[in-house]
Amino acid sequence: MQIAYYKTPIGTAKVEGDNNGISSITVIDKPVDTSTEIPICLKNCFLQLDEYFEGKRTNFNLKLNPKGTEFQQKVWKALIKVPYGKTKTYLEQSKVLGDIKAIRAVASANGKNPIWIVIPCHRIIGSDGSLTGYASGLWRKKWLLEHESGIKQQSLF
């Protein structure tokens, strides 16, 4: 397994993967130096993350290899289908998966998503439109949704 650290506008990400694909992208809250040498198997991921944060990429085209249960894998595959700049509720996601009663299990699987941003669990919101349930911090979820909205808020100060 290869590991490299990538600096984003909202924190440093630890990227893990090998020739079988990206297995994990997690945001780290403690200070970590970004990697100066990127393993070949992670270079395309870094390039696509650059493009995403520059506003040039709306879809990722990476080989993914997240570890999880069969149910978690099903939830994560459904997350990838939520379009850039759009949101769905946990209830809508449960309906897509065929079981509205599985809403808590779906929310739990979202919370265990090992591939930050690329598997876009930040696009799932509460039924009332609230930002809820984001392992990387609600402020990051808000930032990502605003980034994807295309509407840039100007500062008054």
Side-chain angles (χ1 to χ4, degrees):
M1 188 66 56
Q2 300 290 316
I3 298 173
Y5 295 91
Y6 175 83
K7 184 163 179 63
T8 81
I10 53 176
T12 300
K14 179 181 179 183
V15 181
E16 298 179 68
D18 55 26
N19 291 332
N20 294 319
I22 302 299
S23 58
S24 175
I25 301 174
T26 54
V27 69
I28 299 172
D29 285 322
K30 61 182 179 172
V32 177
D33 290 334
T34 54
S35 299
T36 54
E37 291 190 33
I38 312 305
I40 292 171
C41 62
L42 303 180
K43 283 189 182 212
N44 192 30
C45 181
F46 275 53
L47 172 70
Q48 290 188 36
L49 286 169
D50 280 343
E51 292 169 348
Y52 172 83
F53 284 111
E54 291 167 2
K56 298 175 183 174
R57 176 171 290 279
T58 59
N59 292 303
F60 290 92
N61 183 19
L62 296 168
K63 186 176 181 182
L64 302 179
N65 190 22
K67 304 294 184 242
T69 67
E70 185 177 327
F71 179 76
Q72 288 169 337
Q73 297 278 348
K74 184 178 174 184
V75 170
W76 300 335
K77 284 180 182 169
L79 281 171
I80 290 172
K81 295 177 182 172
V82 179
Y84 180 93
K86 304 290 183 193
T87 59
K88 281 193 175 189
T89 66
Y90 289 97
L91 180 60
E92 288 171 325
Q93 190 184 20
S94 296
K95 287 178 182 177
V96 165
L97 293 165
D99 186 357
I100 61 171
K101 292 179 182 176
I103 191 167
R104 288 181 191 258
V106 167
S108 177
N110 282 0
K112 291 181 174 82
N113 169 18
I115 304 182
W116 184 56
I117 299 175
V118 176
I119 298 178
C121 59
H122 62 277
R123 296 180 189 153
I124 307 302
I125 60 173
S127 293
D128 62 357
S130 64
L131 299 184
T132 182
Y134 195 60
S136 298
L138 289 179
W139 72 272
R140 285 189 179 102
K141 184 173 190 165
K142 182 178 186 277
W143 191 98
L144 291 167
L145 292 173
E146 287 175 354
H147 174 72
E148 293 183 5
S149 76
I151 300 169
K152 302 300 178 208
Q153 193 77 332
Q154 290 187 346
S155 174
L156 297 175
F157 307 99

